[in-house]
């Protein structure tokens, strides 16, 4: 099962994307639809709203008068929190019921208007944000949904900003054009990324790591931040620490377009316990990789690890799970700091990587770099000893 978080500001066009995904075969769990269901006449949800806001939020026939509720609940922050405190738990329970009823091979698209505000993004292997300029959204809300201009602007102002949404977006869909253009974007995304991702998780097939060295990409930092948040949510207390490692963690350094992450655990047994949860988070285990290359003067048994890689074809990622204090865990942290502190070493390593990149097989690529690493290991630790590096 692949779970996708879909969000966007009011009037951005999120419903168009969810409808398109549904037509392509997704099971859409729509937060707006559920939020209406849980406050229908006769429900506990509606009774709680009346207790909190009064009978003036009801229509003559007893159904919820949504504009009346909005006028009250969105008039100040405390009333909005009261509304969310009633509705959000009910929506979460119903959402869980719908997901539990889906098949194991399903692609679940969770349409959540307040995904950013509720800090739910790290729960999903993939987060898609639909965006449009605020002025475009105001115009749509007035023309198609009957909002006054003041109400439209007030609702937009109470939601997450574009910057906040960009921080959590694995995919950014721009809806500044026509509805047809947005539909085409969504369909391309579905067939080029979502379905392959779902297939890779079902078959436990990781995306091959690229070997080509590309120019430093400033978006690597944000991508790594999203991955770390996802892994922290997945691993919880079982991880001692989680770090962005490798060349993409060195600002301004050219590298392979793959994010390397190290999950530090207390023991190999904990690493094995994480396998099923990491698969659900989008990272199948690579059974064939069980160790790093031991370096001279160390115990080879202390270079073992578990290795996972992303099933998402749009964001190659390597997840190295290593034991706290073992030499491979320590060196992964040291290596990044050593490179950052020594630009000359960066250039030396970059030349080695570019030479090794003639190998398209990732195993051959890694093997071609190893002679350099044998020397770099002792040089890095000499630097650590001289500078008092602690990691």
């Amino acid at each position: 099962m692949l779970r996708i978080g879909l969000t966007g500001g009011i009037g951005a066009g999120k419903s168009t994307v969810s409808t398109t995904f549904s037509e392509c075969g997704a099971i859409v769990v729509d937060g707006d639809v559920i939020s209406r269901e849980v406050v229908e006449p006769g429900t506990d949800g509606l009774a709680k709203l009346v207790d909190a806001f009064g009978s003036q939020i009801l229509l003559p026939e007893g159904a919820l008068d949504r504009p009346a509720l909005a006028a009250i609940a969105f008039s100040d922050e405390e009333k909005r929190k009261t509304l969310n405190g009633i509705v959000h738990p009910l929506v979460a329970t119903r959402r869980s019921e719908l997901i539990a009823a889906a098949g194991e091979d399903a692609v679940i698209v969770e349409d959540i208007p307040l995904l950013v505000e509720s800090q739910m993004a790290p729960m999903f292997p993939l987060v898609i944000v639909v965006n449009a300029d605020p002025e475009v959204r105001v115009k749509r809300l007035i023309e198609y949904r009957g909002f006054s201009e003041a109400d439209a602007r007030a609702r937009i102002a109470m939601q997450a900003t574009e910057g906040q949404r960009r921080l959590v977006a694995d995919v950014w869909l721009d809806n500044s054009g026509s509805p047809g253009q947005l539909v085409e974007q969504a369909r391309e995304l579905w067939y080029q990324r979502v379905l392959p991702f779902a297939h890779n998780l079902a078959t436990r097939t990781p995306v091959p790591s690229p070997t080509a060295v590309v120019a430093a990409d400033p978006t690597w930092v944000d991508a790594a931040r999203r991955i770390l948040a996802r892994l922290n949510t997945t691993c919880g207390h079982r991880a001692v620490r989680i770090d962005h490692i490798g060349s993409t963690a060195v600002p301004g350094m050219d590298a392979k377009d793959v994010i390397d992450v190290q999950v530090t655990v207390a023991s190999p047994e904990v690493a094995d316990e994480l396998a099923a949860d990491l698969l659900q988070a989008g990272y199948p285990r690579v059974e064939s990789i069980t160790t790093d290359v031991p370096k001279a003067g160390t115990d080879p048994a202390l270079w073992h690890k578990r290795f996972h890689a992303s099933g998402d074809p749009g964001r190659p990622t390597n997840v190295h799970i290593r034991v706290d204090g073992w030499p491979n865990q320590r060196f992964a942290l040291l290596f990044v700091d050593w490179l950052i502190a020594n630009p000359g070493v960066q250039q030396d390593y970059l030349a080695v990587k570019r030479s090794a990149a003639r190998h398209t097989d990732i195993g051959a690529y890694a093997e071609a770099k190893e002679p350099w690493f044998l020397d770099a290991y002792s040089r890095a630790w000499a630097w650590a000893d001289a500078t008092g590096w602690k990691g």
Side-chain angles (χ1 to χ4, degrees):
M1 179 185 292
L2 172 61
R3 292 176 59 199
I4 294 172
L6 172 65
T7 193
I10 186 170
K14 176 172 53 64
S15 296
T16 297
V17 175
S18 64
T19 298
T20 303
F21 285 163
S22 178
E23 292 170 351
C24 290
I27 295 177
V28 176
V29 180
D30 190 326
D32 283 334
V33 171
I34 297 173
S35 67
R36 289 192 290 271
E37 289 179 356
V38 299
V39 293
E40 289 179 347
T43 62
D44 289 341
L46 183 57
K48 290 178 180 178
L49 289 179
V50 172
D51 287 342
F53 299 106
S55 59
Q56 65 265 36
I57 66 170
L58 295 178
L59 294 168
E61 65 270 22
L64 179 64
D65 185 340
R66 292 184 174 276
L69 174 61
I72 298 172
F74 291 99
S75 62
D76 67 55
E77 183 66 16
E78 286 304 314
K79 290 178 181 178
R80 186 171 69 89
K81 288 181 179 178
T82 298
L83 172 63
N84 291 340
I86 293 171
V87 175
H88 285 183
L90 297 172
V91 170
T93 298
R94 181 56 180 154
R95 178 182 291 115
S96 297
E97 292 171 353
L98 293 172
I99 294 170
E104 282 300 314
D105 59 345
V107 177
I108 307 290
V109 175
E110 299 191 45
D111 185 331
I112 306 174
L114 300 180
L115 181 145
V116 177
E117 294 86 340
S118 56
Q119 300 181 332
M120 294 176 65
M123 296 171 54
F124 298 96
L126 190 71
V127 172
I128 301 169
V129 174
V130 186
N131 187 68
D133 183 84
E135 293 304 316
V136 173
R137 293 159 58 196
V138 168
K139 182 179 179 181
R140 289 172 180 165
L141 291 173
I142 294 171
E143 290 184 3
Y144 302 117
R145 295 175 62 173
F147 280 65
S148 69
E149 180 176 348
D151 286 343
R153 294 189 184 279
R155 290 290 295 273
I156 289 173
M158 287 184 176
Q159 294 185 335
T161 65
E162 178 177 326
Q164 290 169 326
R165 291 193 179 97
R166 283 192 181 276
L167 288 176
V168 306
D170 298 300
V171 178
W172 187 264
L173 293 180
D174 178 36
N175 186 23
S176 58
S178 69
Q181 290 173 318
L182 182 61
V183 168
E184 288 306 308
Q185 287 186 73
R187 290 181 64 85
E188 181 179 6
L189 174 62
W190 178 265
Y191 289 109
Q192 297 299 319
R193 185 166 181 177
V194 173
L195 278 190
F197 194 175
H199 172 78
N200 289 341
L201 293 188
T203 59
R204 305 193 178 194
T205 304
V207 174
S209 180
T211 59
V213 176
V214 300
D217 186 340
T219 67
W220 284 335
V221 174
D222 290 334
R225 187 182 296 114
R226 290 191 293 273
I227 293 164
L228 292 181
R230 186 172 294 132
L231 291 174
N232 271 298
T233 297
T234 300
C235 299
H237 70 278
R238 294 170 295 182
V240 175
R241 61 186 290 177
I242 303 177
D243 297 276
H244 181 197
I245 61 170
S247 298
T248 57
V250 180
M253 184 173 179
D254 297 352
K256 296 185 281 90
D257 186 19
V258 56
I259 304 297
D260 281 277
V261 174
Q262 177 170 268
V263 178
T264 297
V265 295
S267 70
E269 290 74 24
V270 174
D272 290 333
E273 290 173 7
L274 289 171
D277 290 338
L278 286 172
L279 177 64
Q280 289 188 348
Y283 305 99
R285 180 174 170 180
V286 181
E287 301 281 353
S288 60
I289 299 178
T290 60
T291 186
D292 296 305
V293 178
K295 303 302 185 289
T298 62
D299 182 353
L302 299 181
W303 287 80
H304 289 290
K305 69 176 180 180
R306 299 294 181 266
F307 182 75
H308 295 246
S310 177
D312 178 7
R315 179 63 272 158
T317 305
N318 295 330
V319 181
H320 310 260
I321 309 180
R322 299 183 174 112
V323 175
D324 192 22
W326 285 13
N328 54 354
Q329 184 265 348
R330 297 286 291 154
F331 183 59
L333 300 175
L334 168 61
F335 188 64
V336 173
D337 290 345
W338 181 51
L339 288 179
I340 291 173
N342 295 275
V345 177
Q346 290 184 35
Q347 296 305 311
D348 188 22
Y349 181 42
L350 189 56
V352 171
K353 290 201 297 182
R354 284 176 171 150
S355 176
R358 69 179 185 276
H359 300 286
T360 56
D361 174 75
I362 191 62
Y365 171 86
E367 185 176 346
K369 296 192 302 178
E370 194 54 37
W372 184 86
F373 267 106
L374 291 173
D375 177 59
Y377 184 75
S378 59
R379 291 167 58 199
W381 276 112
W383 173 83
D385 292 340
T387 60
W389 179 87
K390 300 297 183 183

